[in-house]
Amino acid sequence: MDDLFSLKKAFLEEIGSVDDLAGLQLVRTKYSGKKGLIRARLRDLSSIPPDKRPLYGSTLNDIKNFIEETIRNRELIFKTREKEQRLETEKLDITLPGNFTPFGRRHPVNQILSEIKDIFVSMGFSIEDGPEVENDYYNFEALNIPKDHPARDMQDTFYISDDIVLRTHTSPVQVRVMEKRDPPLKIISPGKVYRCDSDVSHTAMFHQVEGLMVDTGISFSDLKGVLELFIHSLFGADTPVRFRPSYFPFTEPSAEIDIGCIFCSGSGCGVCKTTGWIEILGAGLVNPKVFEMVGYNTSEYSGFAFGMGVERITMLRYSIDDIRLLYENDARFLNQF
Ligand code: DAH
């Protein structure tokens, strides 16, 4: 019996100094394991004299139960403590802001292009596409710019071969549409154009929007009405508009359209070169020679055409002074629009 009491005493001492689950597991193996101290005594029960055996046996059993229960209790305490510690160290602050993926946004040139398209679509124009790699015929000849004509010098051109160019303007789409369809026509054609040009206001690739309206009885006043409405929608109803005589081979008469300088309100500054006006569009009545090329009856039909540079308009709307900023892909710049 002394052996049993010293077993219990030893257990109590050991368990008293155990402080974690790993230590507890060692004690459990030592006392309650298959090869543990309790089992050893149960196995040796037969060596106890029969008259002492019942008391010895029931005491051993009590001690066995006591040890197992004590271990279970400690285990519960340690597990609870471990869980609390984990909760404490893994605490989540659900009020912290999340990880944001920055959103992309539409390029300023595309934003303005959308506005331009919306305005013309609201006036009943439809949108037409054309190829960026274009035949010399559509880019120049059908627009009354014959080979070796000095007007070709106005547009420094990337030639793919003698007869194929990167289109220098969106005007060839006029010809392609007129070849396919009869009047009445009311179209715009936005897209990329290419010129061998590069400085603060020119890039080798830029965007234009071409416009064309053909019907019976179209006059210069129709052109004026459409373009004034367009400019007032885009730049505000108070924007002064001026039509100035000009020359394009594919229109006659031709005009350049200026708006009152939005930087100095017309008093004269560096941007408008002290004139108070800024050019934003070329336009005119379609030259009968262009109609003849596509087989339109010039005594029945007349029309107007116009063309504008989208980067230039974007720069005016957002007061951007260097066109190259638009194509450097610097997010600090682009995120402002
Ligand atoms: N194609 C001309 C250019 O690139 C712009 C232009 C001017 C287009 C007058 C037109 C027009 O349709 O009538 O400079």
Side-chain angles (χ1 to χ4, degrees):
M1 289 296 274
D2 282 349
D3 168 59
L4 291 185
F5 293 132
S6 51
L7 180 71
K8 185 174 176 180
K9 201 172 155 232
F11 168 75
L12 282 172
E13 266 168 26
E14 274 184 55
I15 196 109
S17 60
V18 162
D19 198 34
D20 56 18
L21 284 167
L24 193 65
Q25 193 51 37
L26 292 176
V27 177
R28 172 180 271 148
T29 313
K30 180 172 174 186
Y31 288 89
S32 311
K34 269 194 197 135
K35 295 176 181 163
L37 298 172
I38 303 271
R39 284 286 179 92
R41 282 166 180 73
L42 281 171
R43 258 195 314 274
D44 292 347
L45 212 52
S46 53
S47 65
I48 304 289
D51 58 325
K52 303 232 169 87
R53 211 178 287 160
L55 182 60
Y56 184 90
S58 73
T59 307
L60 179 59
N61 205 40
D62 286 348
I63 290 174
K64 175 178 173 282
N65 290 339
F66 171 79
I67 286 177
E68 284 171 358
E69 200 186 322
T70 307
I71 289 175
R72 272 200 305 277
N73 284 342
R74 296 301 296 250
E75 188 176 49
L76 194 68
I77 290 167
F78 290 158
K79 278 193 172 160
T80 312
R81 194 183 64 190
E82 196 173 84
K83 190 172 165 190
E84 275 166 3
Q85 278 169 353
R86 224 180 34 239
L87 284 176
E88 192 57 36
T89 53
E90 293 176 2
K91 197 147 72 180
L92 285 181
D93 182 351
I94 57 165
T95 65
L96 281 175
N99 295 327
F100 289 101
T101 307
F103 283 118
R105 59 177 69 217
R106 299 187 72 190
H107 192 280
V109 168
N110 257 329
Q111 291 180 34
I112 295 294
L113 190 53
S114 290
E115 281 190 42
I116 294 172
K117 287 196 265 189
D118 283 350
I119 295 168
F120 283 108
V121 166
S122 78
M123 288 195 259
F125 286 74
S126 62
I127 297 175
E128 297 290 336
D129 247 346
E132 289 172 30
V133 182
E134 186 56 287
N135 295 319
D136 183 282
Y137 176 77
Y138 289 110
N139 195 79
F140 292 124
E141 268 175 70
L143 291 163
N144 193 33
I145 316 173
K147 279 209 176 354
D148 305 319
H149 191 281
R152 289 203 179 194
D153 291 346
M154 287 160 69
Q155 304 182 354
D156 256 323
T157 313
F158 292 108
Y159 281 89
I160 305 286
S161 68
D162 276 354
D163 284 322
I164 299 178
V165 297
L166 295 188
R167 66 177 180 189
T168 58
H169 51 178
T170 40
S171 304
V173 184
Q174 285 187 27
V175 183
R176 287 180 170 276
V177 171
M178 287 192 286
E179 275 186 353
K180 272 189 303 200
R181 303 216 303 257
D182 288 329
L185 280 181
K186 227 175 154 188
I187 61 122
I188 59 164
S189 183
K192 293 183 169 71
V193 301
Y194 303 84
R195 293 187 194 178
C196 191
D197 223 351
S198 174
D199 60 38
V200 282
S201 50
H202 297 88
T203 43
M205 184 285 298
F206 63 104
H207 295 77
Q208 283 191 336
V209 176
E210 184 77 13
L212 174 71
M213 181 168 178
V214 184
D215 206 340
T216 52
I218 299 288
S219 69
F220 205 93
S221 59
D222 297 305
L223 170 64
K224 240 186 140 206
V226 166
L227 288 185
E228 274 177 2
L229 185 55
F230 164 68
I231 289 168
H232 288 155
S233 307
L234 195 63
F235 287 101
D238 302 331
T239 311
V241 182
R242 166 174 100 165
F243 282 65
R244 191 163 37 75
S246 185
Y247 171 76
F248 298 101
F250 32 91
T251 44
E252 183 60 35
S254 302
E256 278 176 320
I257 290 97
D258 299 337
I259 59 170
C261 179
I262 48 171
F263 298 100
C264 64
S265 307
S267 59
C269 67
V271 180
C272 61
K273 300 187 185 99
T274 71
T275 61
W277 295 95
I278 293 180
E279 184 223 316
I280 65 155
L281 271 150
L285 293 186
V286 179
N287 191 322
K289 284 185 182 159
V290 174
F291 280 158
E292 279 163 17
M293 299 264 212
V294 296
Y296 279 7
N297 181 348
T298 52
S299 56
E300 191 180 358
Y301 295 115
S302 56
F304 65 75
F306 56 87
M308 68 189 89
V310 185
E311 279 77 358
R312 187 171 170 75
I313 291 175
T314 306
M315 289 166 75
L316 290 173
R317 266 283 294 272
Y318 292 131
S319 301
I320 298 167
D321 59 6
D322 186 338
I323 193 172
R324 291 167 297 196
L325 288 167
L326 291 169
Y327 293 114
E328 280 170 358
N329 277 342
D330 186 335
R332 292 169 305 178
F333 171 76
L334 295 173
N335 281 338
Q336 299 175 77
F337 307 99

